[in-house]
Each structure stands twice: as C-alpha cells, then as structure tokens.
Amino acid sequence: MSSRELCSFLFTLVLVSCTFLKLEAQLQVGFYSRSCWMAEFIVKNEVRNAFIRDRGLAAGLVRLHFHDCFVRGCDASVLIDSTPANSAEKDSPANNPSLRGFEVIDRAKAMLESTCRGVVSCADILAFAARDSIEITGGLGYAVPAGRKDGRISRDSEASANLPGPASDVDQLTQAFANKGLTQEEMVTLSGAHTIGRSHCTSFSNRLYSYNTTTMQDPSLDFPYAGRLKQQCPEGSTNVNLVVPINPSSPATTDVDYYTDVLANRGLHTSDQTLLTNAETAKQVAQNAMNPTLWRSKFAAAMVNMGRIGVTTGSAAGEIRANCRVIN
C-alpha cells in the first residue's frame, strides 16, 4: 500500500469512527433534561399505575421493548397499527396475541404530548417503560440513554424473521442475538427476563404432547412440572387464550428463580431449557442462579446495550410520532 493509499485509508477510518461516535453521543442519559424534564417521571407514573391495575403488565412492557429492538432496531415500529394496505409487526404470529401493554404507552404518550408536544419519541417511552417495569418488580434500576427517533415502517414478516421463537435451540439463540450485536452471555442474561410474565400454552404444548415421532413428552422436562402444565394446558384445548406463569414461584418479581427453574429442568420453553445444552451457557445459568446481585447488574447493562440496537438519532431519518400507533 502506498503512502497516499494509506493516508486515504486512515482518513476514511477516522471519518467512519467519528461518525459512529457522533451517533452514539446523540443517545445520552438525561436527553430530555432541558426539552421535557418531566418525561421520565411521567412514564414512570404511568407504569406504576398500570402495575397497580395488573402486575403482569410489567413483563408485557419489557417484552414490548425487546420485540421492538429486535426488528428494525429500537424505533417503536412494534407500536404501529396495521392498515388495510399493510400488516404491521404487532399482528405477526410472533407477537399476536402475546404482546401487551400498548395502552400504557398510549397513556404515557398522551400525557407527554400535553406537556411537551412533539418532543419525546415513542421509542424512548418504550425504553423508559421497560426500565421502570424491571425496577418496580424488584430489579436494578438503571439510567436509560435516550434520543431515539421513531421509525416509519412496520411489517409483520420482519417480526417473524428476526425474533427468536420459543422452540429455538441454544445455537439459534446465540446467532439471533449476535445478529443484533449482542454476545452469548448477554443472551443468557436477557433470557432472565422470563423471570416475570406468562406464556400461552400454544408456545410450549408440543413439549407436553407431540415432542417428536417417538416421544410424546420432552424428556428434558421435569416430570412433576410437566404434569402440572398438562392440567393447566389440556391436550386438544381450543382455547388460544390459556396462559401459565413462566416462573411459577415469583411471576411478578425480577429475581434469579428463572435460572433455578432451568437448573431443575423446569424451563418452560425449549428456548429456556436449551441453555443447559451448551457448557458455557449452562455455566452462566448456574452462576446467575447463585449470584442474584451480579445477575441484576449484568441484566441492567445488557438492557442498555439492547436499547442501542439500530437506533435512529439526531437528524437521521425518523420522526417523533404524535400518536405511537400511527406514523405522522
């Protein structure tokens, strides 16, 4: 490489690096401290009110943020309603009927628009609400870098293509997270979000009644636990709304009982129990189960990293939606 080519390469490298750092700098803690200083308090209040009405909504809001960030980045595209011309992410089989908490975001947005019109993005509201939900259920609170813009595109097919499903194995999960810039350890850490919330029977019934051509029940599933699940999710039931808690011992508390369940072969989904099929992920499961304080800290850090996936900031393409369900 000639000296001229080397200089040109270095200049390009520095330019790209500076551009990246500039975008990262625009996503910052306290982003609304001057433009709408009450923003985070307003969101926190709406989450608190929702939790009082229905403790399960905290898990719903965390899941909304996750499902948003894994499709087109953290741009609130998961909140956009379908139209006659377009089926949106929220109506994908990966999201419907399991996603919930939309009305909490709607109320927070309405309050913010009445206080600071056109300032706070729906994507940031989602990130704040997820943090507040973790904190209100006993997890570690953390500072949320903000400044995201809202996206203008939402397609159901992209949700199915990007979201890891409940039947995913450890390699598929690792790859799905790697595709978003997250490590395998962060995958195991964020799987702990299943410590709160519920799941539809249809997401795991194959483990009870039709595991494979030779075995009806998944042999990795704890037998007494499987028996209880069969009582809650009868074979052949046509009720698509049947749900069970993912972590029965503390379904509304952010703790490490999820990992304890996985170690006892009581992981509800294949994607939960599969964490024991890999030596490294199994080691992390055991470490998290034994050290709640460390896991809470790792979980908070991983949530911040997830919240940076594919963000649109500054003057880049995007908008601040007036209504989170409809593009401007």
Side-chain angles (χ1 to χ4, degrees), residues 115-132:
T115 306
C116 324
R117 185 176 299 276
V119 173
V120 183
S121 71
C122 300
D124 281 341
I125 295 173
L126 268 179
F128 294 147
R131 182 269 314 276
D132 298 336

Side-chain angles (χ1 to χ4, degrees), residues 195 247 249-250 253-262 266 289:
T195 187
N247 172 213
S249 61
S250 54
T253 304
T254 295
D255 55 25
V256 296
D257 283 1
Y258 163 81
Y259 297 105
T260 303
D261 280 344
V262 171
R266 295 193 298 267

Side-chain angles (χ1 to χ4, degrees), residues 33-110:
S33 59
R34 293 185 179 181
S35 57
C36 187
W37 68 273
M38 288 288 288
E40 295 190 47
F41 296 100
I42 289 172
V43 176
K44 187 182 292 290
N45 187 59
E46 290 301 330
V47 171
R48 184 184 299 111
N49 291 339
F51 186 71
I52 291 171
R53 292 190 298 270
D54 180 355
R55 290 164 64 87
L57 281 173
L61 291 167
V62 174
R63 192 161 181 258
L64 263 183
H65 184 43
F66 171 80
H67 281 228
D68 179 43
C69 291
F70 264 59
V71 184
R72 289 190 166 269
C74 308
D75 67 347
S77 54
V78 74
L79 303 178
I80 296 174
D81 282 345
S82 293
T83 66
N86 178 67
S87 182
E89 290 172 31
K90 63 168 58 173
D91 289 319
S92 164
N95 289 328
N96 187 11
S98 59
L99 283 191
R100 57 179 176 155
F102 295 103
E103 70 283 359
V104 182
I105 305 301
D106 289 339
R107 284 193 289 268
K109 180 61 173 176

Side-chain angles (χ1 to χ4, degrees), residues 3 62 75 130 170 183 207 315:
S3 59
V62 174
D75 67 347
V170 69
T183 66
R207 300 187 71 202
S315 58

Side-chain angles (χ1 to χ4, degrees), residues 149-163:
K149 289 290 186 66
D150 297 325
R152 298 188 177 100
I153 298 173
S154 182
R155 300 189 181 106
D156 63 349
S157 59
E158 294 183 351
S160 299
N162 285 276
L163 292 167

